[in-house]
Amino acid sequence: MNHFELRGGELHCEDVPLSRIAEAAGTPVYVYSSATLERHYTVLRDALRSAGLGEPLIAFAVKANSNVAVLRTLSALGAGADVVSEGEIRRALAAGVPASRIVFSGVGKTAGEIAFALQSGVAELNVESEPELKLIDQVAQSLGQRAKIAIRVNPDVEAGGHAKISTGKAENKFGVSFAEAERLYANASNAAGLSPVGVACHIGSQITDLAPMEAAFSKMRGLVERLRGQGLSVERLDLGGGLGVPYFNQPAPPTPSDYAAMIGRVMAGLDIAFAFEPGRVIAANAGVLVARVLHVNARPQGRQFLVLDAAMNDLLRPAMYDAWHDIRPVTPRPGPPVTYDVVGPICETGDTFTRDRALPPLEAGDLVAFMTAGAYGAAMASEYNSRLLVPEVLVKGADFAIVRPRETYDAMLARERPAPWL
Ligand code: LLP
């Protein structure tokens, strides 16, 4: 469920017409609904609670939407943060997420980032390989600390979804095997700079079938039991993120309560603190990208190109993963649907949002909204073609705030420096 609805013939975010936001912030612009973010977080939290999983740490995957106002909306409800860089740690802290609710994941943490995380007091570092374990041990010792770590396991399951975002097969770069995890956990418990507290996994993103998750999670339970059988203490089990969302052209993915009930079954009787790292399921349907139609370009061969002022640099998912986003006119016009190729202004054919899409008739100047764009939308945006980074707006009821203004061309150029010989 989300809070983007037609009211009086016009698409609104909560109580605000999107056209009002487009006027205030210009286009393209990302618009987020606080009520939807809050609802998705609380639905997941309540589902996990009622599946008997105690009071789990729900660490929002900051990579999905790193806007500080979005993070603050979630942290106000008690969310933690799953981060993968020093920049994300800084964003989470700036949003008021307590360090004790921050989990630091990622396959390539630098010594500097590890030191920053330890000095900030993050809850745990999820370790993805033996060399990384050694580096964390060294950095922690040099700071006179013991780093709390979890070993990230690669459960070697096929999670479906797009190949570019599947992470749980042995050939992927993430995590270690179960056998290695046992060895590393035991080593870590003897290392002066390490304190192993748990194990973690994350098998992919936009997963729409619970079976691979269930297979991975029961293997994780087995690992916890084996480690404990060796007399090692395992306090935490981090089950990652990955739950899919409806992008409207697919069968409905499992609901948070299906997901939680499955985990409740697999983990029944296991006394452990659970952690989750959801990104998409919380943020995707809480955001849209609003763009304006620049031209309707009808070709003699019959193709109609809808040229927007948004491009692949603003919303990369269609170009990168062939992703499907629903496109809705902000003020739908009456009349039979027209088949369009929807494109941006960037000079490459990859800058195509969709081909042969039947939409209500549109004219130059009309606004359209790309739905389900709140996760991996603005967070993946760039300035390719020297287009200004897309702004972001947060709505709450009848109020809205521009939480990241559009940059200016002066600011863009001011970031660069002349080389002394030029
Ligand atoms: N935890 C870890 C360790 C991750 O690598 C990810 C996502 C998550 C949690 C959150 O997964 P989620 O709940 O959002 O599925 N840019 C791609 C998605 C990349 C996902 C990367 N890792 C896209 O636009 O589809």
Side-chain angles (χ1 to χ4, degrees):
M1 188 199 152
N2 60 64
H3 296 76
F4 295 91
E5 286 173 351
L6 274 181
R7 287 195 201 165
E10 196 181 337
L11 197 56
H12 282 57
C13 175
E14 303 189 22
D15 299 330
V16 184
L18 289 177
S19 61
R20 182 129 60 86
I21 294 174
E23 225 167 84
T27 53
V29 58
Y30 277 93
V31 181
Y32 308 126
S33 155
S34 302
T36 312
L37 288 165
E38 288 164 355
R39 183 185 145 81
H40 289 172
Y41 177 82
T42 50
V43 163
L44 181 63
R45 181 199 60 198
D46 295 349
L48 293 168
R49 275 183 185 158
S50 48
L53 299 170
E55 191 56 56
L57 169 64
I58 302 181
F60 175 66
V62 172
K63 62 168 78 73
N65 189 317
S66 50
N67 184 283
V68 174
V70 167
L71 300 180
R72 190 173 282 281
T73 303
L74 295 169
S75 79
L77 298 173
D82 166 55
V83 300
V84 291
S85 66
E86 178 171 339
E88 288 191 354
I89 300 176
R90 288 179 183 271
R91 283 181 175 277
L93 292 172
V97 179
S100 61
R101 299 180 75 74
I102 297 179
V103 174
F104 189 14
S105 308
V107 288
K109 306 174 191 77
T110 66
E113 288 180 311
I114 293 166
F116 182 78
L118 293 175
Q119 281 160 337
S120 310
V122 304
E124 129 198 339
L125 286 86
N126 287 357
V127 181
E128 304 241 4
S129 65
E130 184 159 20
E132 189 184 60
L133 191 71
K134 290 190 173 146
L135 180 62
I136 296 174
D137 185 20
Q138 278 165 17
V139 175
Q141 287 195 48
S142 74
L143 296 172
Q145 283 198 25
R146 274 177 99 94
K148 288 193 187 126
I149 56 119
I151 304 285
R152 174 161 173 194
V153 185
N154 187 326
D156 197 17
V157 296
E158 188 67 74
H162 195 282
K164 284 187 182 154
I165 54 175
S166 171
T167 51
K169 285 292 288 171
E171 73 249 28
N172 299 134
K173 66 183 175 182
F174 304 94
V176 300
S177 69
F178 282 99
E180 243 181 313
E182 282 187 53
R183 184 174 62 79
L184 294 182
Y185 205 93
N187 288 352
S189 61
N190 295 316
L194 301 174
S195 165
V197 294
V199 289
C201 72
H202 168 81
I203 61 171
S205 196
Q206 186 55 17
I207 298 172
T208 50
D209 175 6
L210 290 179
M213 288 194 172
E214 180 157 359
F217 296 169
S218 22
K219 291 187 188 183
M220 292 302 291
R221 177 182 182 141
L223 174 65
V224 171
E225 287 168 341
R226 284 197 302 283
L227 291 170
R228 286 179 171 174
Q230 294 163 30
L232 296 163
S233 135
V234 188
E235 299 154 35
R236 302 183 196 165
L237 176 55
D238 178 341
L239 297 176
L243 192 57
V245 302
Y247 283 93
F248 298 105
N249 65 335
Q250 294 150 326
T255 63
S257 57
D258 300 335
Y259 170 74
M262 176 275 283
I263 300 169
R265 264 196 323 278
V266 173
M267 300 298 169
L270 185 70
D271 181 20
I272 204 155
F274 289 96
F276 296 90
E277 303 169 357
R280 193 186 312 264
V281 75
I282 290 178
N285 274 310
V288 301
L289 172 65
V290 179
R292 201 174 283 283
V293 178
L294 296 178
H295 310 289
V296 184
N297 180 358
R299 289 291 171 84
Q301 316 85 297
R303 271 197 186 280
Q304 298 239 49
F305 289 96
L306 203 63
V307 185
L308 304 183
D309 65 358
M312 63 191 280
N313 71 300
D314 304 305
L315 177 63
L316 186 58
R317 303 192 69 258
M320 180 106 169
Y321 315 113
D322 298 314
W324 199 98
H325 285 263
D326 199 15
I327 300 172
R328 295 174 63 181
V330 168
T331 313
R333 295 174 184 279
V338 180
T339 302
Y340 295 108
D341 284 7
V342 183
V343 301
I346 286 183
C347 307
E348 53 187 285
T349 305
D351 187 23
T352 297
F353 292 111
T354 184
R355 284 168 68 82
D356 297 323
R357 180 81 63 94
L359 297 174
L362 284 150
E363 292 180 12
D366 286 359
L367 295 169
V368 294
F370 286 88
M371 309 307 290
T372 321
Y376 308 108
M380 293 178 77
S382 76
E383 286 181 340
Y384 184 41
N385 275 216
S386 291
R387 293 165 51 82
L388 295 175
L389 208 54
V390 57
E392 296 171 280
V393 166
L394 183 64
V395 173
K396 186 166 181 64
D399 291 335
F400 70 92
I402 300 177
V403 290
R404 183 171 74 192
R406 193 182 310 278
E407 223 185 323
T408 63
Y409 291 109
D410 286 344
M412 182 173 91
L413 285 167
R415 292 203 306 259
E416 298 189 21
R417 296 287 173 273
W421 59 87
L422 288 176

